[in-house]
Amino acid sequence: MQARTTRLTTRAAATFIGLALASGCATAQEPEVTAEVSPTTPSATTPSARARAEPLTTAQLKDLAFKDGEVPQAHEPLSVQAPPPEGSERSFPPISVPACRPLIDVRSGEGSFAHVFQVFNWKKNIMGGSSTLASYEGDEAEQRFAALRQALTTCRSYEGEGYAGPFEVTVRTETPPQVGEEALAFLEISPVESDSLGDSSEQFIVVRTGNTIATFSELSVGADLSFPTELIRRQVKRLKDAQQP
């Protein structure tokens, strides 16, 4: 299969490769909505946007992530990883369309105050899913989210290079679930070597609540699967509650 399948582990750092491969299976989820509509409206004027909490630390984000026994759809253990030390990861050339860069930066926690990664090896979807929980200082979360929103109005495809070599994706926006203060959803679709398998499709649901951004991804081949909405709601509520005075 083409490099697209391994881009999940690229974002979640090399430490996730062993975890993703060890399970060998995962839970197929039915897609929530596939129609393309405008994303949810920002609420920058709400009290929570004006009175900003201190950004959550790496330790706090780890504590807010899911623990063993909380996700029956996934194999255990449910490990949570902080990013590797800066400069320790392999670097890659810039992607072919600079305007698409926010799609990668936001979901990987680039520029955040702190962020952690979690991989979900579903029991019924061998491709699996992941989440990234990121906290930002000041109004940086709103700015990052606005950049992503703008990028999704123009980014239709791009090419790049990952751990397994070159890749190309087509971008398609979707209807996000009604969670958090802002939510966006999009698919990145890549061809695979075998025509009989269908395209590789990775869904991303990105949710901002306060000064945190949570990104949830679901990878599949030959079908458009969605990260479980109930898990998204639970995770976002934890992030919201942790930022309350």
Side-chain angles (χ1 to χ4, degrees):
M1 183 176 298
Q2 201 164 340
R4 182 72 181 83
T5 306
T6 64
R7 293 174 58 238
L8 172 63
T9 53
T10 301
R11 290 193 322 279
T15 53
F16 276 161
I17 296 176
L19 175 61
L21 294 178
S23 160
C25 47
T27 302
Q29 308 297 331
E30 292 298 326
E32 288 294 315
V33 185
T34 57
E36 180 177 339
V37 300
S38 299
T40 54
T41 304
S43 53
T45 58
T46 61
S48 62
R50 294 194 298 268
R52 305 184 191 285
E54 290 296 316
L56 299 174
T57 65
T58 299
Q60 288 174 309
L61 291 173
K62 279 187 173 182
D63 190 58
L64 293 169
F66 289 115
K67 310 295 189 301
D68 285 352
E70 295 183 330
V71 185
Q73 304 99 314
H75 292 284
E76 296 180 352
L78 295 176
S79 65
V80 184
Q81 301 288 338
E86 187 174 353
S88 64
E89 290 187 286
R90 177 182 168 187
S91 61
F92 298 100
I95 60 174
S96 61
V97 182
C100 296
R101 186 68 208 183
L103 278 65
I104 299 172
D105 289 346
V106 170
R107 69 181 183 235
S108 61
E110 183 71 24
S112 63
F113 175 81
H115 61 281
V116 298
F117 305 101
Q118 188 164 34
V119 166
F120 299 90
N121 290 303
W122 306 122
K123 295 175 181 177
K124 294 183 180 179
N125 174 18
I126 193 172
M127 307 307 297
S130 72
S131 68
T132 302
L133 310 180
S135 65
Y136 296 83
E137 297 180 283
D139 63 354
E140 185 69 16
E142 289 96 321
Q143 293 181 26
R144 294 276 176 172
F145 205 92
L148 174 62
R149 186 185 297 277
Q150 177 60 36
L152 287 173
T153 66
T154 58
C155 179
R156 295 294 174 263
S157 64
Y158 66 89
E159 299 177 4
E161 184 178 339
Y163 282 99
F167 64 83
E168 57 181 278
V169 299
T170 299
V171 179
R172 188 179 82 200
T173 58
E174 289 195 311
T175 302
Q178 299 297 309
V179 292
E181 295 174 50
E182 301 183 81
L184 293 166
F186 60 96
L187 286 174
E188 292 196 351
I189 304 165
S190 298
V192 296
E193 293 179 0
S194 173
D195 293 337
S196 63
L197 294 177
D199 292 335
S200 168
S201 177
E202 188 165 11
Q203 183 203 54
F204 296 93
I205 297 175
V206 188
V207 183
R208 183 185 71 81
T209 180
N211 60 9
T212 64
I213 294 178
T215 302
F216 306 88
S217 73
E218 184 80 358
L219 185 63
S220 59
V221 174
D224 291 345
L225 302 182
S226 182
F227 195 97
T229 302
E230 180 267 338
L231 292 182
I232 294 176
R233 296 189 189 281
R234 285 167 54 195
Q235 183 65 85
V236 170
K237 185 178 186 302
R238 290 184 182 185
L239 293 171
K240 178 181 178 180
D241 292 346
Q243 296 177 76
Q244 299 303 311

